[in-house]
Amino acid sequence: MAYEEYIKKAVETGKRYEDLPERIRAILPLAEWTARVREICIQQGLAWNVSMATTVCSEQEYYEELVRKYKGWGRVSCHISTVQSVTADYSGGSTLWQLHSSHS
């Protein structure tokens, strides 16, 4: 559990893979780090342009994964798909909920 919490905290504080301690990098491959960063940012509902996801994947990849994850939300996933191209120019709040609220 401590390992998982450390990874989550590292992502939340903006640490890059290269900044992780050597003992962590020895057991955490770069591909897994990339997947975890994307997963944590999506779980927190962060917009791509204000999250650590910008360091590990493209905007398109991020939002495709987000839509897959929240497909059951119906209206939200459709709305995210609709405003996806607007997000890169959006400079307001940091969460998708704020983005959603501002365009409703």
Side-chain angles (χ1 to χ4, degrees):
M1 187 65 162
Y3 172 76
E4 295 297 324
E5 288 299 316
Y6 181 85
I7 299 302
K8 184 176 180 184
K9 183 82 164 170
V11 171
E12 290 173 350
T13 58
K15 282 192 177 187
R16 296 179 328 179
Y17 183 76
E18 299 79 24
D19 299 332
L20 297 174
E22 192 173 320
R23 63 185 170 76
I24 298 293
R25 286 182 297 172
I27 58 173
L28 180 68
L30 181 58
E32 187 176 337
W33 168 255
T34 299
R36 296 251 184 127
V37 169
R38 189 173 35 238
E39 178 183 326
I40 290 168
C41 292
I42 288 172
Q43 285 174 348
Q44 293 178 349
L46 299 174
W48 175 84
N49 64 330
V50 295
S51 71
M52 279 287 297
T54 59
T55 65
V56 299
C57 65
S58 71
E59 181 179 19
Q60 175 121 8
E61 289 174 305
Y62 183 78
Y63 286 112
E64 285 173 357
E65 180 68 25
L66 185 138
V67 169
R68 270 194 299 276
K69 183 160 180 73
Y70 294 106
K71 198 168 191 163
W73 282 22
R75 183 172 178 256
V76 173
S77 64
C78 290
H79 185 72
I80 290 169
S81 298
T82 303
V83 297
Q84 178 179 358
S85 61
V86 175
T87 306
D89 299 325
Y90 182 75
S91 60
S94 62
T95 66
L96 289 173
W97 175 251
Q98 289 168 332
L99 177 63
H100 172 73
S101 298
S102 68
H103 293 292
S104 293

